[in-house]
Amino acid sequence: ILKSFLLFISGNNHMKEENYRAAVDCYTRAIELDPNNAVYYCNRAAAQSKLNNFREAIKDCESAIAIDPKYSKAYGRMGLALSSVNKYEEAVTSYQKALDLDPENDSYKSNLKIAEQKLRDVSSPTGTGLSFDMASLINNPAFISMAASLMQNPQIQQLMSGMMSNAIGGPAAGVGGLSDLSSLIHAGQQFAQQIQQQNPELIEQLRNHIRSRYLSGSTEEHS
């Protein structure tokens, strides 16, 4: 037990020095000597997350929770790891559980709000979960090529024509112009669906790019 504790302390020191691989090694050796210590798993999860090994971090948090179901920090760290692999619904559940156990923790509160916002963005019926950065789009050669190809499609030409007609005051102009916003939204959804069908890899790339920006707002609770 003493040796495992010393390895745990060594792992914590490596974390402070941002030597995360060495920290994982120390925590792993501590776990081998004392496999029923939830704290060891939870701290290894933190180190794994720093190395972007999020699925391993989730497994470690699950192990910690299995040993100690009331370990709030394990739920909080699992929430971070789940958010990092875009499992926002599960992340929200984890943060809520962490807050149930530690209601005054500001880190859990802020990260819960971030996860809830991401979940709303992904589930948004008006944007298929995408909030595109237009600067990134117009500078992306793959998007330019795809857009040129799409514009040759008669269906896309009709969609764009309809959107422009509504936007500048076609049949839906006047008092009812803006009231027909739902038609514009619907046309935009169809356009996004066409892009998804043409190049799903680019859509996923853009999603990951946007989500990585969001993740920078998440806060980690220190050991």
Side-chain angles (χ1 to χ4, degrees):
I1 298 297
L2 177 59
K3 186 175 181 180
S4 65
F5 180 73
L6 292 175
L7 284 166
F8 169 72
I9 295 299
S10 180
N12 288 350
N13 289 334
H14 284 305
M15 286 292 287
K16 292 175 183 176
E17 296 167 358
E18 300 183 0
N19 192 354
Y20 303 122
R21 293 189 186 280
V24 167
D25 181 61
C26 286
Y27 294 140
T28 299
R29 290 160 61 196
I31 288 168
E32 289 170 353
L33 294 170
D34 186 5
N36 295 314
N37 192 313
V39 177
Y40 296 174
Y41 287 100
C42 190
N43 279 36
R44 187 170 70 175
Q48 294 283 24
S49 287
K50 293 293 187 181
L51 294 169
N52 296 326
N53 298 330
F54 300 115
R55 298 188 188 281
E56 294 302 318
I58 292 167
K59 291 179 183 177
D60 276 342
C61 289
E62 290 173 341
S63 296
I65 290 166
I67 296 168
D68 183 1
K70 295 185 177 180
Y71 192 7
S72 63
K73 187 176 287 187
Y75 288 103
R77 286 183 173 160
M78 186 157 66
L80 281 172
L82 287 165
S83 288
S84 299
V85 293
N86 304 329
K87 293 187 176 182
Y88 303 123
E89 187 171 357
E90 294 94 328
V92 166
T93 300
S94 290
Y95 286 131
Q96 287 173 335
K97 183 64 177 177
L99 274 173
D100 287 343
L101 295 166
D102 187 3
E104 301 305 317
N105 190 298
D106 290 335
S107 175
Y108 300 158
K109 291 176 184 178
S110 62
N111 283 341
L112 174 59
K113 289 180 181 178
I114 292 169
E116 288 175 335
Q117 182 60 54
K118 291 174 185 174
L119 182 59
R120 284 193 293 270
D121 290 343
V122 170
S123 304
S124 171
T126 59
T128 63
L130 300 173
S131 301
F132 292 126
D133 179 341
M134 290 306 296
S136 297
L137 281 179
I138 61 178
N139 287 305
N140 188 314
F143 181 80
I144 294 170
S145 175
M146 180 186 66
S149 175
L150 281 172
M151 290 310 296
Q152 301 304 314
N153 186 317
Q155 290 180 317
I156 296 297
Q157 291 174 358
Q158 183 178 1
L159 277 174
M160 293 301 293
S161 175
M163 291 176 69
M164 290 300 295
S165 175
N166 284 339
I168 64 177
V175 176
L178 292 179
S179 69
D180 199 35
L181 180 60
S182 60
S183 297
L184 288 175
I185 291 172
H186 180 66
Q189 286 178 300
Q190 290 180 283
F191 184 63
Q193 288 166 3
Q194 288 284 343
I195 296 175
Q196 176 73 28
Q197 292 168 6
Q198 288 282 335
N199 196 331
E201 292 82 6
L202 178 60
I203 293 297
E204 187 59 31
Q205 176 187 340
L206 290 168
R207 278 199 181 106
N208 291 334
H209 172 71
I210 293 160
R211 285 168 181 164
S212 68
R213 292 188 174 188
Y214 271 121
L215 285 176
S216 65
S218 296
T219 59
E220 169 70 275
E221 182 184 3
H222 297 294
S223 303

